[in-house]
Amino acid sequence: KTAIAPLLAVCILLGGLYLQQIQNNQQGSFWIFHNTKETLIIETAGKSMKVYQKGDLQNNSVHLIQNFRVGERIQESKTLPLQNVFLKPNLLIVDNDGVYIPIQKNPNVLLIQSPKIHLGALIDSLKPIQIIADGSNYPSFINLWKETCQQKNVRFYETYSKGAIQLYDSNK
């Protein structure tokens, strides 16, 4: 009878560790990184990740991806072309073409490659949660967008001074 209590405690501990491992394999996140002249988005799911990019990656991007992969203990990765819409974090991407399809309500809007758009009109029509500008944009555009967002009372995030932003994290 005295051997049953420690054995039961070990079984409970091992069961808890097993459940934690299962949860870790199902968790995911969605990141927009700062990278000069490039757009870099990483989506994780358990021990795998998808890297979304437009064009070829520069050396500093490759190092950033490798560091992220090691830090998050990622075992497999896949590189994919950048999409204009991501449903999970409710993200709409507007690139240098300035063309966007308002599929979702109240999206996060990511501006990449300095699109020549009327940001005030975009804000009025989409009512975004926030506007995000990454490192692929001209600093002068970012300053104008920041002012427009302040006037329209919309949250503005730019990776130049604030660094990467995490839009989705199933760990929380």
Side-chain angles (χ1 to χ4, degrees):
K1 289 184 179 182
T2 57
I4 293 175
L7 185 60
L8 184 61
V10 168
C11 287
I12 291 172
L13 178 66
L14 289 175
L17 290 173
Y18 178 72
L19 285 175
Q20 185 178 11
Q21 184 66 30
I22 290 173
Q23 284 179 336
N24 287 344
N25 287 338
Q26 295 173 347
Q27 294 173 342
S29 60
F30 193 93
W31 292 85
I32 299 170
F33 288 91
H34 175 74
N35 226 9
T36 306
K37 299 181 182 178
E38 286 186 322
T39 296
L40 180 62
I41 296 174
I42 294 180
E43 181 179 21
T44 67
K47 298 293 180 191
S48 65
M49 74 178 185
K50 296 176 185 171
V51 178
Y52 297 97
Q53 68 181 54
K54 192 164 192 162
D56 294 331
L57 290 176
Q58 297 173 2
N59 261 352
N60 58 341
S61 298
V62 173
H63 294 301
L64 193 146
I65 293 166
Q66 285 293 70
N67 290 340
F68 183 84
R69 187 175 179 173
V70 169
E72 296 295 314
R73 297 185 179 107
I74 301 293
Q75 293 172 353
E76 67 178 77
S77 67
K78 188 187 308 184
T79 303
L80 301 166
L82 193 61
Q83 312 173 63
N84 284 357
V85 176
F86 290 90
L87 295 177
K88 189 118 184 195
N90 195 13
L91 178 67
L92 174 67
I93 298 176
V94 181
D95 63 11
N96 58 340
D97 294 334
V99 177
Y100 59 92
I101 301 169
I103 295 174
Q104 306 151 297
K105 290 183 178 182
N106 308 106
N108 293 289
V109 176
L110 173 61
L111 303 174
I112 65 170
Q113 299 174 332
S114 303
K116 293 167 184 69
I117 58 168
H118 188 287
L119 187 58
L122 181 142
I123 290 171
D124 291 340
S125 66
L126 296 179
K127 310 246 183 294
I129 296 169
Q130 70 181 332
I131 303 292
I132 304 164
D134 75 353
S136 69
N137 296 296
Y138 295 125
S140 59
F141 280 45
I142 290 174
N143 293 333
L144 292 172
W145 295 334
K146 190 175 189 176
E147 286 178 27
T148 301
C149 287
Q150 286 173 344
Q151 291 168 0
K152 296 283 187 178
N153 222 9
V154 173
R155 195 170 39 210
F156 183 75
Y157 190 96
E158 46 98 6
T159 63
Y160 274 102
S161 62
K162 297 179 181 179
I165 182 172
Q166 186 176 19
L167 291 183
Y168 170 78
D169 184 3
S170 67
N171 302 329
K172 295 179 181 175

